[in-house]
Amino acid sequence: LAARALAAGAVSARKAARDDLLKMAVARRADDPRKIVQRSVAKALFLKPSPRDKVEGILTGSLDGVDRKLLYPAIRELLKNEDSAARGKVGAIYGKLTDQDLQALMPDIIAATAKMAPSNTMFADGIRLAGLDLISKRRVSEGMQLCVDVIEPDRWGMGRRIDKCLAYLSRYGGNARGLVPALRNLRASVVKRDRKGAANPSVAAIDKLIADIQADTNPPKVQTVAEFIRNPAKP
């Protein structure tokens, strides 16, 4: 309640609380092994306003002037939170991160994209899809396999993931040629599992992506994470 009150307060109160909240995000408490305090901090800092909840996180709109020595550890800790709802709040500021920020945080973003938070899993896809969007815009090569892995056709909610994952993979063009067999396996799985069979719109999207990948003779340049950290590519 205190964290929420700070987020909903006057501009001066929000700014005054910012650094203390970032420090709280990395604090360890023996009486809070599930890091419930961290979840409240994540909301206060990064909450997106909605029709039901019009409060905006203190850092959601801008990261200008924020001490990176406090911001980076806070983001790293939140991206490891076991609660998907807490972890997912960080995605609100992915688009605000600078090249320098991404050089420092890209490994953490990739880790949070690759491995789903173990609890509150109905919210798990948000941060992973936000990560794929960011990674694929920068054409970090490790993102190609992740675009396929995150679809997870046997897990609930595949329909909310598949089209976005395919769109993100399409940004790599012909670089994704090695994933064509995996895409064909995905197609077979969708046809088998969905009552619409081959009429599922995602099947046509997979077919189009495979054709586009195979036809691309001049794919865009990609970078590994290590190369990106040395010289970040523009989106």
Side-chain angles (χ1 to χ4, degrees), residues 27-28 34 48 90 105 129 153 164 194-195 213-214 218:
R28 305 293 177 90
R34 293 282 291 148
K48 281 185 177 180
V90 183
L105 295 169
L129 292 173
K164 288 185 177 181
D194 194 282
R195 65 180 181 273
I213 289 171
Q214 293 178 324
N218 186 30

Side-chain angles (χ1 to χ4, degrees), residues 51-160:
R52 192 180 75 172
D53 193 342
K54 294 181 171 55
V55 174
E56 180 178 73
I58 293 169
L59 300 183
T60 303
S62 175
L63 298 177
D64 292 347
V66 180
D67 186 347
R68 265 46 182 180
K69 292 180 180 178
L70 298 177
L71 179 65
Y72 294 168
I75 288 176
R76 291 185 179 114
E77 279 295 313
L78 289 170
L79 288 178
K80 292 185 288 188
N81 193 291
E82 293 181 348
D83 187 326
S84 294
R87 189 181 294 192
K89 296 294 181 289
V90 183
I93 51 90
Y94 273 3
K96 306 283 192 307
L97 296 171
T98 66
D99 287 349
Q100 186 176 1
D101 295 333
L102 291 173
Q103 283 178 293
L105 295 169
M106 185 61 78
D108 306 281
I109 291 170
I110 287 179
T113 304
K115 188 172 182 179
M116 186 174 72
S119 68
N120 222 350
T121 54
M122 68 180 292
F123 301 108
D125 291 332
I127 193 65
R128 303 179 83 197
L129 292 173
L132 285 180
D133 188 18
L134 187 153
I135 295 163
S136 62
K137 281 179 179 176
R138 300 303 180 117
R139 296 194 179 90
V140 174
S141 59
E142 286 86 346
M144 288 187 283
Q145 184 66 55
L146 286 176
C147 285
V148 176
D149 292 345
V150 169
I151 294 171
E152 298 181 71
D154 295 332
R155 183 167 65 84
W156 177 87
M158 191 242 341
R160 299 181 181 183

Side-chain angles (χ1 to χ4, degrees), residues 27-39:
R28 305 293 177 90
R29 294 175 58 100
D31 61 348
D32 186 20
R34 293 282 291 148
K35 299 181 180 178
I36 301 303
V37 169
Q38 196 180 79
R39 176 175 175 173

